[in-house]
Amino acid sequence: MDTNDFMSRGRVSNQTGSEAPKKHKGPRGMMKIAMASMIISVALLISAVMAFVIFGGSTSESELIKEDQYQAVFLNDQNGQVYFGKLSLVNSKFYRLTDIFYVRVEQVQPDTGEAAQNISLAKLGSELHGPEDEMFIAKDKVLFWENLKDDGKVVTAIEDYKKNGSDTTTTENTDSTDTTTE
């Protein structure tokens, strides 16, 4: 047995003595094509997302803040504090809020036995420490912010405050005892 016989062992030869005939593509060939297509598709998708993030997101945050409207700024502290006012960007790390209002909730115990809450919209500046009507808020302390509609309850209450010059108050009754029976 010479080395040619040893090397050609396992090969199917045709009658002319040339190399083995080409095999038809079976399930393995189709699988390779499918995998290659999938890899190319994923690469194109990642490229498109990166291009959108880098070039497509041309709307800056300052363009999203509607200067002629009020904004609600929700802080990510454990109290869930919310401020209402005119929001603007100072730089990449800070917001500036002016014409500031916030919700003040007071628990009231009337003689009827039902618990009630006085909810008022208070203007910043009348507190004990006497802050100016301007607040600088670190962006990492803001959970989210949103533009407010002019006909919403908060903006309507702000306009009422500006006309009347005092806090706007609403009272909500909440029953402190469970009256559900089964």
Side-chain angles (χ1 to χ4, degrees):
M1 179 182 235
D2 67 13
T3 52
N4 284 338
D5 288 340
F6 179 75
M7 297 295 284
S8 65
R9 193 184 302 175
R11 282 192 200 167
V12 177
S13 61
N14 58 17
Q15 294 177 352
T16 61
S18 64
E19 293 186 23
K22 294 183 180 181
K23 295 181 181 178
H24 294 290
K25 292 185 180 181
R28 281 190 182 179
M30 295 302 283
M31 185 67 104
K32 287 180 181 180
I33 292 172
M35 285 298 287
S37 297
M38 186 180 296
I39 290 171
I40 291 170
S41 298
V42 169
L44 288 174
L45 180 63
I46 290 171
S47 299
V49 168
M50 288 177 56
F52 177 76
V53 168
I54 294 170
F55 303 110
S58 64
T59 304
S60 69
E61 188 174 15
S62 62
E63 292 173 337
L64 297 173
I65 298 171
K66 297 180 180 176
E67 294 178 10
D68 59 333
Q69 293 177 228
Y70 281 90
Q71 286 76 37
V73 179
F74 295 80
L75 302 183
N76 60 8
D77 63 356
Q78 60 266 36
N79 298 331
Q81 184 66 46
V82 180
Y83 291 101
F84 306 100
K86 300 286 186 161
L87 187 67
S88 61
L89 287 174
V90 174
N91 55 33
S92 64
K93 294 184 180 185
F94 287 94
Y95 292 110
R96 177 178 181 244
L97 192 65
T98 58
D99 197 10
I100 305 166
F101 292 83
Y102 61 94
V103 174
R104 182 175 22 209
V105 180
E106 298 175 30
Q107 299 294 331
V108 179
Q109 194 70 25
D111 295 334
T112 62
E114 290 183 359
Q117 292 180 336
N118 282 339
I119 300 173
S120 61
L121 193 63
K123 178 78 172 134
L124 184 74
S126 60
E127 295 77 17
L128 181 63
H129 62 288
E132 293 183 1
D133 192 17
E134 180 177 47
M135 184 182 292
F136 295 91
I137 307 168
K139 282 186 162 187
D140 65 342
K141 301 300 180 196
V142 174
L143 183 61
F144 66 95
W145 62 267
E146 56 193 9
N147 293 307
L148 299 177
K149 295 179 185 177
D150 291 334
D151 61 350
K153 289 183 179 183
V154 170
V155 175
T156 303
I158 291 171
E159 297 301 325
D160 289 346
Y161 175 86
K162 288 182 175 185
K163 287 178 189 172
N164 301 329
S166 63
D167 292 350
T168 57
T169 305
T170 60
T171 303
E172 291 185 5
N173 290 329
T174 56
D175 191 356
S176 61
T177 60
D178 187 9
T179 58
T180 308
T181 57
E182 292 186 32

